[in-house]
Amino acid sequence: MKIAFHGAARTVTGSKHIIHVNPGKQILLDCGLYQGMGKETTELNSNWGFVPAEIDYVVISHAHIDHIGLLPKLVKDGYKGKIFCTPATASLAKLLLIDSARIQEDDLRYVNAKREKAGLPLFEPLYDEDDAIKVFPLFETIPYNEHYKIESGIDLMFTDCGHILGSAAVNLKIKENGKEKRITFSGDVGSYHDMILRNPQPFPQADYIIMESTYGDRLHEVSTATADRLLKFIVDTCLKKKGKLIIPAFSLGRTQDVLFMLNRLELEHRLPPLNYYVDSPLSIKITDTIKKYPDYYNDDVKQLLHRDEDVFSFAGLKYIDKVEDSIKLNDIEEPCVIISASGMAEAGRVKHHIANNVSDSRNTILFTGYCEPNSLGGRLKKQPESVKIFSKEFAVKAHVDEIATLSAHGDYEDLCQWLACQNPKDVKTLFLVHGDYDVQVNFKERLIKKGFPDVQIPSLHEVIGLRD
Ligand SMILES: [Zn+2]
């Protein structure tokens, strides 16, 4: 048996790992898209390093695009088997894959217009909406903690890992030549302090672990006062300065965190009576999907559901679906809060809202998470005097700030806590993936001190044999 690492190897996106089982079975764990890797991105996403038609099974850890975003291309390139995931992951993946196909097509529209002018051949998108739809019938959903026999000698069980709704660690028991190996793939591990989700769950003892390491060198500041900070931004911007508060937020996860906090403030009678807009069709659909899985919430939220049947809704909240209604928000004079995607302000409607509001000192642009340094969010966080949006220069007069205490990824203490259910001596090898190399080197040291005898950091397309 061996494992081939075809993505998220010494980097954080493009998650793809193949377990090769004799004779000739291949199980692909995740099929993620590379994101934000500059000029290399397209090339990385175009070259598999393996043959999709030769894969027998696909198992998906969770619905983030860097874990599912190449499924349509996998199917387009010849994969015909099943795709195993939790029910919530399948529901969210359908929304996100359609959105991803639209983004691929939109991105190329601009590039291709330029190439057409220059007389250059046009680029093809990685996939389109039709390709995305062809993935849906292949999903085979399995609830958490149920043993599932993929075929004789290959058993699968998902355990909750608290990262986003439906996210799972993949626990496999695979027989080869009569000998069984237990392999666990972490997917992405959440924090043990999530507002909405349950804590990551213990998982069965493994012989081999493939583990994410995004924040393997970092400790998050845990803040129970995040909602208070959010309230202060609303009061300072909307009540004192009579301005608009623009909150760029990812459609999946961060938008619901913000809505949950606003709802909580309302329950405590502290939420100022204003208009609160969620301006993103994808965020609306995702929030609706998340509401369908209350069993996945943590106990605090389940308790809250007894006295508040919709924990993401409160007085003054309005969802904006149509583009024309989004444009109308530009003309609103009165103070308001606008929550819109994307979180890094690189795409989506929030870019228009920033362009419209960034030059007015009454307003605040409030980021809710990490932004790539070159994204619009990353550039604004550096507090520049002006910023370029849609090829136009805008003076930055609005206050730019950040709530940095929301993260879907655990820090190194969370990662170690997730591993605490294991006897380190029984883990033959722990493979670190989904992290920057210097972070992984640092995390590896920590794990060796904790007693894990062999920790490896595979490079891209590296194939590593598993000992008996
Ligand atoms: Zn993720």
Side-chain angles (χ1 to χ4, degrees), residues 61-67 163-164 167 187-189 408-409 434:
S61 65
H62 66 288
H64 273 150
I65 283 299
D66 62 323
H67 295 257
H163 168 63
I164 57 168
S167 65
D188 289 350
V189 180
H409 280 275
H434 204 291

Side-chain angles (χ1 to χ4, degrees), residues 182 205-209 422-429 451-453:
R182 301 163 296 179
Q205 179 68 45
D207 305 309
Y208 292 92
I209 298 175
Q422 299 290 294
N423 181 352
K425 296 277 172 285
D426 289 345
V427 179
K428 293 192 174 96
T429 304
F452 290 92

Side-chain angles (χ1 to χ4, degrees), residues 66-134:
D66 62 323
H67 295 257
I68 61 164
L70 275 183
L71 283 173
K73 183 169 158 57
L74 189 83
V75 174
K76 189 177 159 184
D77 290 355
Y79 179 68
K80 292 188 174 60
K82 288 179 177 166
I83 300 167
F84 300 101
C85 61
T86 64
T89 294
S91 303
L92 292 170
K94 289 174 187 173
L95 299 173
L96 287 156
L97 289 176
I98 292 286
D99 186 64
S100 173
R102 285 183 191 153
I103 291 170
Q104 315 279 338
E105 293 174 271
D106 284 352
D107 283 356
L108 276 190
R109 204 162 291 143
Y110 175 71
V111 177
N112 275 342
K114 268 182 146 180
R115 288 180 71 86
E116 199 169 12
K117 265 191 198 155
L120 294 166
L122 304 188
F123 289 132
E124 282 280 306
L126 283 170
Y127 53 85
D128 58 23
E129 266 188 75
D130 288 340
D131 298 317
I133 290 166
K134 284 180 191 144

